[in-house]
Amino acid sequence: MVNCSLLQSLPRLFCKLHLPDHDTTIVLEDENRKEYITKYLAQRRGLSAGWMGFAIAHKLVEGDVLVFHMVIANKLKVVISFIVRHRLFMDILTCSH
């Protein structure tokens, strides 16, 4: 899930299996094939520099769900799921009536 910070954490097992044990550049590719350069911080298991630009460009909010697919080494395809946000919005509409 997306969090509202400069660092987007990644699952520990995903990092252990697919990402290097040192800081490096990771390319994020969105559903329109646009690429964003980010910095992977191995010790913190997260994306830093460049992450906020990706989040702003895609209007991500806390709680949005992302699916990361390893395309090649140091390149991740990102699928954004707004289903959770839609459900929350529908719950708010239902409660307001």
Side-chain angles (χ1 to χ4, degrees):
M1 277 205 289
V2 173
N3 58 48
C4 293
S5 72
L6 297 176
L7 180 77
Q8 175 60 50
S9 298
L10 298 171
R12 178 175 293 176
L13 185 59
F14 180 83
C15 294
K16 184 177 179 181
L17 293 175
H18 302 292
L19 297 177
D21 60 359
H22 59 274
D23 296 356
T24 190
T25 298
I26 298 284
V27 176
L28 302 180
E29 181 182 87
D30 68 14
E31 293 164 322
N32 296 318
R33 303 184 83 173
K34 184 169 180 179
E35 294 184 348
Y36 298 80
I37 306 299
T38 65
K39 180 75 171 184
Y40 171 66
L41 302 178
Q43 292 288 356
R44 300 193 59 200
R45 292 184 322 274
L47 301 174
S48 185
W51 165 252
M52 190 56 72
F54 179 87
I56 290 169
H58 294 87
K59 298 178 175 71
L60 299 179
V61 297
E62 191 165 342
D64 284 343
V65 176
L66 305 177
V67 178
F68 295 94
H69 296 279
M70 180 65 77
V71 177
I72 57 173
N74 297 352
K75 184 173 183 179
L76 303 173
K77 175 85 173 174
V78 183
V79 178
I80 304 166
S81 174
F82 296 107
I83 295 171
V84 173
R85 189 188 311 174
H86 176 74
R87 286 186 186 151
L88 178 62
F89 179 72
M90 294 307 291
D91 288 346
I92 291 168
L93 286 179
T94 304
C95 292
S96 65
H97 283 85

